[in-house]
């Protein structure tokens, strides 16, 4: 019973940390699609 | 301005062609041990080019010397020319030579002479792209360079050697990793596309780290096939193409801007010898204009990247940015 309680607390804490990181994280989602575009105009200023 | 070019291979020839068409250059002196080839190149370049039938590192009255010969000759020649007060541009990409050339910095500053190390496609254009990408960040954390393709036969031999030797990456300190390890699928500008790239003994990290104080990771990889990896430690088994094929470079810069982590990927696709010739020619012309100051170093942090890329664009070498989106487009 004690082991199960500890496991539930650990899972709960991990979920809490994950939720905070998910909400406050600033890294964004890595690009999964796209393509190359020639640098010109404002990008060369 | 008078310019001497030591080594008239695929890159040296392209460089000479760019220089003889520049109004600022009065004369281009060409040196090479292959006399017939040298004569043919000079004949094709017109009256501004002339043969110098002397050893590659013999004294010259040129204002700038470009070292475009095989790896192994650059450091000794650069020392001699620097000792005579002549500006030096090295198109080589051998790590040991690049490190040796960087050690000439104190002497070059003392003499007031510019020494540009690695003024080619990679390193060279890669250093300029890294500087341009880094300008978009508040803090630069990581720079990852990859290149694929070779210029002429000398470049192909260097590529072959590099794959068999240890890579020297920066992770807060220099870390050596086995050449041919660390496979990573890198996407280059079209039509090159995706290529497996591996660690190799490349000079880019040695040139980039001094230009970006505080950077945490700098790595360089080179595109190779399984056959390249398998035969890297053997003598070259197949003859190389005299002009090389299409190649590409790619620079990925990671850091923080506006309080968020971000990544910028820039690249370019061209024949490596053509692009290297254009980069080296611009470096020579900018030295003549006083736009590259005294000291020894790569192009990163020494040239205005916007002006340099704009000038390269007018010479046909076009940089590109990878624009990614987080959500895959529907099929």
């Amino acid at each position: 019973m004690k082991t199960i309680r500890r496991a539930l607390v650990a899972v709960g804490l991990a979920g809490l940390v994950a939720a905070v990181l998910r909400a406050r994280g600033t890294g964004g989602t890595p690009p999964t699609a796209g393509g190359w575009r020639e640098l010109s105009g404002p990008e060369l200023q | 301005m008078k310019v001497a070019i030591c080594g008239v291979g695929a890159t040296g020839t392209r460089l000479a062609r760019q220089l003889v068409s520049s109004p600022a250059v009065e004369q281009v002196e060409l040196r090479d041990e292959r006399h017939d080839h040298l004569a043919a190149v000079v004949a094709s370049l017109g009256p501004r080019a002339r043969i110098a039938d002397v050893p590659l590192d013999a004294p010259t009255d040129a204002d700038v010397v470009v070292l475009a010969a095989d790896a192994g000759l650059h450091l000794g020649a650069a020392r001699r020319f620097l000792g005579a007060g002549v500006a030096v541009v090295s198109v080589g990409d051998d790590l040991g030579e690049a490190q040796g050339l960087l050690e000439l910095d104190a002497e070059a500053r003392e003499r007031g002479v510019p020494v540009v190390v690695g003024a080619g496609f990679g390193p060279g254009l890669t250093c300029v792209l890294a500087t341009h990408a880094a300008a978009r960040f508040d803090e630069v954390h990581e720079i990852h360079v990859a290149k694929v393709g070779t210029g002429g036969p000398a470049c192909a031999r260097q590529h072959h050697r590099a794959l068999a030797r240890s890579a020297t990456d920066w992770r807060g300190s220099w870390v050596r990793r086995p050449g041919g390890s660390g496979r990573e699928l890198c996407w280059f500008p079209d039509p090159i596309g995706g290529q497996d790239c591996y660690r190799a003994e490349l000079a880019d990290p040695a040139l980039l780290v001094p230009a970006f104080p505080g950077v945490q990771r700098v790595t360089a990889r080179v595109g190779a096939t399984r056959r390249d990896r398998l035969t890297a430690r053997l003598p070259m088994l197949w003859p190389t193409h005299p002009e090389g094929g299409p190649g590409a470079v790619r620079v990925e810069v990671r850091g923080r801007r506006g309080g968020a982590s971000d990544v910028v990927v820039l690249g370019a696709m061209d024949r490596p010898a053509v692009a290297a010739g254009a980069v080296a020619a611009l470096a020579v012309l900018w030295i003549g204009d006083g736009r590259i100051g005294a000291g020894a170093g790569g192009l990163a942090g020494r040239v205005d990247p916007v002006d340099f890329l704009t000038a390269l664009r007018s010479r046909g070498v076009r940089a590109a940015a990878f624009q990614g989106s987080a959500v895959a487009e529907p099929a």
Side-chain angles (χ1 to χ4, degrees):
Chain A
M1 195 62 194
K2 196 175 174 183
T3 309
I4 294 172
R5 213 166 39 235
R6 281 182 176 171
L8 286 174
V9 170
V11 168
L13 282 175
L16 194 64
V17 169
V20 169
L21 288 177
R22 182 74 180 84
R24 293 183 56 86
T26 52
T29 310
T32 54
W36 290 92
R37 180 177 41 75
E38 191 179 313
L39 283 183
S40 61
E43 288 172 312
L44 278 181
Q45 289 171 9
Chain B
M1 178 169 56
K2 288 184 181 175
V3 183
I5 300 174
C6 301
V8 190
T11 300
T13 306
R14 268 31 183 273
L15 164 65
R17 200 168 298 287
Q18 296 253 347
L19 290 176
V20 293
S21 62
S22 302
V25 177
E26 300 158 29
Q27 190 178 72
V28 180
E29 176 188 297
L30 300 171
R31 303 172 173 201
D32 200 294
E33 288 161 354
R34 296 165 297 168
H35 298 283
D36 293 344
H37 174 67
L38 183 59
V41 170
V42 169
S44 73
L45 290 175
R48 285 196 198 172
R50 75 175 182 91
I51 294 174
D53 193 10
V54 294
L56 293 180
D57 58 354
T60 178
D61 63 346
D63 304 294
V64 184
V65 172
V66 185
L67 303 173
D70 279 5
L73 298 164
H74 292 226
L75 183 54
R79 281 200 181 107
R80 286 191 188 87
F81 291 123
L82 176 60
V86 180
V88 176
V89 174
S90 166
V91 187
D93 59 352
D94 180 83
L95 175 62
E97 280 195 319
Q99 289 168 330
L101 290 167
L102 291 175
E103 287 171 7
L104 300 176
D105 185 48
E107 185 183 347
R109 286 179 190 278
E110 192 179 314
R111 293 179 181 276
V113 173
V115 176
V116 178
V117 186
F121 197 37
L125 181 54
T126 52
C127 295
V128 180
L129 291 174
T131 309
H132 188 50
R136 303 184 191 183
F137 290 92
D138 303 320
E139 288 173 42
V140 174
H141 296 159
E142 301 183 20
I143 304 173
H144 303 285
V145 176
K147 63 177 178 177
V148 61
T150 59
C155 186
R157 286 192 293 273
Q158 176 60 23
H159 173 283
H160 183 80
R161 279 192 295 268
L163 206 54
R165 295 176 179 170
S166 297
T168 305
D169 291 345
W170 176 260
R171 285 175 167 262
S173 62
W174 294 110
V175 180
R176 290 179 74 82
R177 298 293 184 82
S181 66
R183 182 171 70 181
E184 186 174 312
L185 178 62
C186 296
W187 289 92
F188 294 91
D190 301 326
I192 301 296
Q195 294 277 330
D196 279 334
C197 293
Y198 302 87
R199 294 190 185 101
E201 191 192 61
L202 301 170
D204 301 73
L207 299 173
L208 289 169
V209 169
F212 298 95
V215 68
Q216 294 161 9
R217 286 186 66 197
V218 182
T219 66
R221 282 176 167 77
V222 65
T225 62
R226 291 182 179 188
R227 189 184 74 185
D228 292 335
R229 291 176 66 210
L230 188 68
T231 60
R233 285 161 181 82
L234 304 172
M236 286 190 78
L237 302 176
W238 290 270
T240 57
H241 192 284
E243 294 296 324
V249 292
R250 177 186 194 277
V251 178
E252 182 177 321
V253 177
R254 295 172 178 270
R256 289 188 78 78
R257 59 174 168 177
S261 298
D262 204 354
V263 56
V264 171
V265 182
L266 299 181
M269 193 291 288
D270 210 319
R271 285 184 176 271
V274 174
V279 171
L282 263 186
V284 168
L285 296 172
W286 281 33
I287 286 174
D289 290 344
R291 297 177 75 177
I292 296 180
L299 288 172
R302 298 183 76 192
V303 297
D304 182 301
V306 172
D307 288 354
F308 202 92
L309 290 173
T310 305
L312 271 182
R313 194 165 186 264
S314 70
R315 289 168 183 268
V317 180
R318 294 161 190 272
F322 182 79
Q323 180 133 36
S325 57
V327 181
E329 292 167 9

